[in-house]
Amino acid sequence: MKTAELSEKILSGDRRALARAITLVESGREDHRAAATELLEQLAKSGRQALRIGLSGTPGVGKSTFIESFGMMLVAQGLRVAVLAVDPSSARTGGSILGDKTRMEQLSRQKGAFIRPSPSQTNLGGVARRTREAVSLCEAAGFDVVLIETVGVGQSETVVAQMSDLFLLLLAPAGGDELQGVKRGIMEMADIILVNKADGDLKSAAMRTCADYSGALRLLRKRPQDPTGYPKAQTVSALQEAGLDTAWEDMKTLMEWRREKGHWSGTRAEQARYWFGEDVRQALLARLKTTWAQDRMEALSDQVASGEVSPTAAAQEMLKGLGVAG
Ligand code: GDP
């Protein structure tokens, strides 16, 4: 299919065309890359924007249950919802692969919903670019909300937070000392902490955990992009669909405030800068990984070790070979 035709179909909201375009951006083939870049440029002209919501949480905390319930609630309100995942392959365990067909069963059947499993790739940098481009494609296809899910391990939260307007951290009810288990950096990224499973026997533990996190959040430095009362913690039950409407109201309040104050566009501009830098860094690192570069590095480092060449001269030689020296 020609890029123009694909672009046309995506703009008309054709989900198959969208899926196809995401496959195109996920491809490593050079001609596909060129076509994807052209497509993204054409689609950027539409100026369509979605609310991008990042969602992180450890396996078992209830992410897919939450997305299913929350997504269904949004769809019932007439909103179109896309779900993407950033899934560092190392985090995959047995049957619970993000985007597994059995997950979000109800939501996946909705006309107003689109669910895309994570691209399989070990390199988080590569996954980040593909997901970011998939987000843009979903926006062009007219989705109102794009949920970007990740397993709460390692670097993937940062990646997701850097492509989201709003970052949610899903936690499970726990004993008081569990608070230590969430890294401060991750807490600082969260706009709203949702303590899930606030139902049945777990309800009082969830409320305690929520109070602990509310207290911890109050101790964090106030961010200029937040109105009073944010970041905040609240309880939800994804299973019983409780508290989801309140959570959504809070998200909307936060985003309206940020939009009014110019923080929304400001954050997106900062994120664009970040990704530009990341793309350059990733491309340079990729050059170092070719067989030629690795052999050359080894040869030059042997020469450096034996004192034949100075480290500086060897580095310059290497960079010249890579075509990046001035
Ligand atoms: P994920 O690995 O984070 O995607 O977690 P899942 O959504 O697969 O949920 C893991 C388990 O927690 C499942 O057995 C769910 O039924 C259960 N679960 C999810 N949300 C809730 C909730 O709100 N309350 C209770 N009691 N269980 C839940």
Side-chain angles (χ1 to χ4, degrees):
M1 201 188 295
K2 287 257 164 40
T3 313
E5 199 184 333
L6 191 57
S7 161
E8 199 74 9
K9 286 195 168 167
I10 292 169
L11 289 171
S12 74
D14 183 330
R15 286 189 298 180
R16 278 180 55 192
L18 173 62
R20 209 165 152 169
I22 296 180
T23 306
L24 189 68
V25 302
E26 285 173 0
S27 167
R29 257 175 58 181
E30 221 158 282
D31 55 332
H32 287 170
R33 253 343 292 149
T37 307
E38 191 188 326
L39 178 67
L40 286 161
E41 259 166 40
Q42 276 182 19
L43 291 172
K45 291 186 200 121
S46 79
R48 288 182 183 164
Q49 289 193 332
L51 173 61
R52 306 173 185 171
I53 304 177
L55 174 72
S56 175
T58 48
V61 73
K63 290 181 300 300
S64 37
T65 313
F66 176 80
I67 293 172
E68 171 99 326
S69 308
F70 185 67
M72 287 298 285
M73 182 188 80
L74 298 183
V75 167
Q77 291 179 14
L79 296 169
R80 297 182 68 214
V81 181
V83 182
L84 304 170
V86 172
D87 180 16
S89 307
S90 58
R92 289 185 175 190
T93 48
S96 70
I97 297 171
L98 292 182
D100 191 324
K101 282 245 175 336
T102 58
R103 299 170 85 234
M104 308 161 204
E105 224 170 311
Q106 254 188 306
L107 187 61
S108 64
R109 282 200 296 266
Q110 299 299 310
K111 268 213 179 70
F114 177 84
I115 299 176
R116 179 76 177 193
S118 172
S120 53
Q121 221 208 9
T122 43
N123 166 6
L124 195 54
V127 173
R129 199 197 58 218
R130 288 161 173 75
T131 310
R132 196 158 36 94
E133 290 176 347
V135 170
S136 301
L137 292 171
C138 291
E139 290 192 312
F143 283 91
D144 302 293
V145 175
V146 181
L147 277 162
I148 314 153
E149 176 196 11
T150 190
V151 175
V153 289
Q155 288 292 299
S156 62
E157 291 95 342
T158 315
V159 167
V160 171
Q162 282 289 354
M163 56 177 86
S164 306
D165 300 313
L166 195 87
F167 191 70
L168 307 178
L169 179 61
L170 210 59
L171 296 175
D177 50 355
E178 191 79 4
L179 197 68
Q180 313 299 324
V182 177
K183 288 192 210 90
R184 190 188 160 94
I186 294 167
M187 256 185 55
E188 279 174 340
M189 266 184 249
D191 293 305
I192 300 180
I193 287 182
L194 297 171
V195 182
N196 191 31
K197 308 193 183 183
D199 50 50
D201 293 345
L202 291 168
K203 190 162 184 175
S204 56
M207 297 195 29
R208 262 198 319 275
T209 305
C210 182
D212 287 346
Y213 279 99
S214 296
L217 286 175
R218 274 196 295 274
L219 296 177
L220 294 180
R221 191 166 47 91
K222 175 124 175 55
R223 305 179 300 188
Q225 70 270 34
D226 288 338
T228 311
Y230 288 86
K232 61 162 64 181
Q234 59 196 76
T235 56
V236 289
S237 166
L239 206 59
Q240 294 188 354
E241 297 165 30
L244 303 180
D245 46 353
T246 315
W248 177 230
E249 284 308 315
D250 286 345
M251 289 179 220
K252 283 195 293 189
T253 304
L254 178 59
M255 290 323 295
E256 253 151 52
W257 191 88
R258 284 184 182 170
R259 196 194 287 268
E260 264 171 37
K261 304 278 179 196
H263 292 309
W264 187 338
S265 52
T267 302
R268 286 210 173 182
E270 279 309 309
Q271 290 176 342
R273 268 185 213 280
Y274 172 85
W275 288 117
F276 159 66
E278 265 305 289
D279 274 9
V280 172
R281 280 187 288 274
Q282 290 293 333
L284 287 178
L285 282 175
R287 283 206 193 177
L288 276 179
K289 286 183 188 138
T290 61
T291 318
W292 176 86
Q294 281 177 351
D295 290 350
R296 187 83 185 113
M297 278 293 272
E298 207 171 298
L300 282 167
S301 73
D302 286 347
Q303 288 181 28
V304 170
S306 68
E308 228 173 295
V309 196
S310 76
T312 312
Q316 268 168 6
E317 188 63 32
M318 184 69 209
L319 290 170
K320 216 187 290 168
L322 289 170
V324 288

